[in-house]
């Protein structure tokens, strides 16, 4: 089965304090064979990249309004007059607050939504076809 991969390299900012942040190279990745999830790889150029996977819907919603709870929270804001999306990630290893350029995240999400429109994710998984084959026996 053929699937589509949509990736976007971008620079995020790891917020260390209200006055200080550092650049973090990252890659957004979406695969049509895993249609509900988005994958984010941080420190793509380091020997120990960090991988996070969470719901595409959470990120889509988080571009417009606060979304998520628990391990992943996403919300829009302005920093120095620029539209950004903040991502708060929590794990047993620690917490991180990352700032992403809203326009780049939105453009990438738009591409994923064109490949797999909202509400059609289940069709991508081929569950209906598998069920039909199973019931046909």
């Amino acid at each position: 089965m053929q699937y589509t991969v949509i990736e976007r390299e971008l620079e995020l900012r790891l917020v260390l304090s209200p006055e200080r942040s550092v650049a973090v190279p990252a890659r957004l990745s979406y695969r049509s064979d895993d249609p509900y999830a988005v994958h984010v790889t941080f420190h793509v150029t380091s020997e120990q990249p960090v991988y996070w996977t969470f719901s595409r819907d959470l990120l889509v919603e988080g571009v417009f309004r606060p979304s998520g709870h628990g391990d992943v929270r996403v919300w829009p804001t302005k920093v120095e007059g620029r539209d950004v999306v903040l991502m708060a990630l929590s794990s047993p290893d620690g917490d991180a607050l990352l700032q992403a350029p809203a326009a780049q995240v939105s453009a990438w999400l738009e591409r994923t939504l064109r490949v797999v429109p909202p509400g059609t994710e289940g069709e991508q998984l081929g569950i209906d076809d598998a069920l039909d084959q199973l019931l046909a026996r």
Side-chain angles (χ1 to χ4, degrees):
M1 190 170 131
Q2 202 79 17
Y3 64 87
T4 305
V5 176
I6 300 168
E7 292 188 326
R8 172 82 193 241
E9 304 270 336
L10 73 167
E11 186 177 279
L12 303 181
R13 306 288 308 171
L14 174 62
V15 179
L16 302 173
S17 73
E19 308 78 43
R20 200 159 156 256
S21 66
V22 294
V24 176
R27 179 186 305 116
L28 299 173
S29 185
Y30 179 80
R31 294 170 51 127
S32 62
D33 65 335
D34 187 7
Y36 292 103
V38 293
H39 307 276
V40 187
T41 307
F42 302 104
H43 301 292
V44 273
T45 52
S46 75
E47 282 190 25
Q48 306 243 305
V50 176
Y51 302 97
W52 274 79
T53 299
F54 48 91
S55 156
R56 177 175 74 165
D57 288 348
L58 186 145
L59 188 56
V60 167
E61 189 176 322
V63 168
F64 299 103
R65 62 186 155 274
S67 175
H69 48 80
D71 295 348
V72 180
R73 291 176 300 122
V74 182
W75 67 97
T77 192
K78 280 192 186 293
V79 173
E80 295 167 4
R82 289 176 303 127
D83 289 326
V84 298
V85 177
L86 289 175
M87 292 182 274
L89 307 176
S90 298
S91 78
D93 298 329
D95 299 334
L97 179 61
L98 292 140
Q99 181 181 305
Q104 291 179 19
V105 172
S106 297
W108 173 79
L109 277 170
E110 216 168 90
R111 289 174 54 209
T112 76
L113 294 168
R114 276 201 299 272
V115 169
V116 180
T120 67
E121 293 92 348
E123 297 165 25
Q124 300 296 317
L125 298 174
I127 292 171
D128 293 339
D129 297 340
L131 208 53
D132 289 346
Q133 289 175 359
L134 196 63
L135 296 174
R137 290 188 186 143

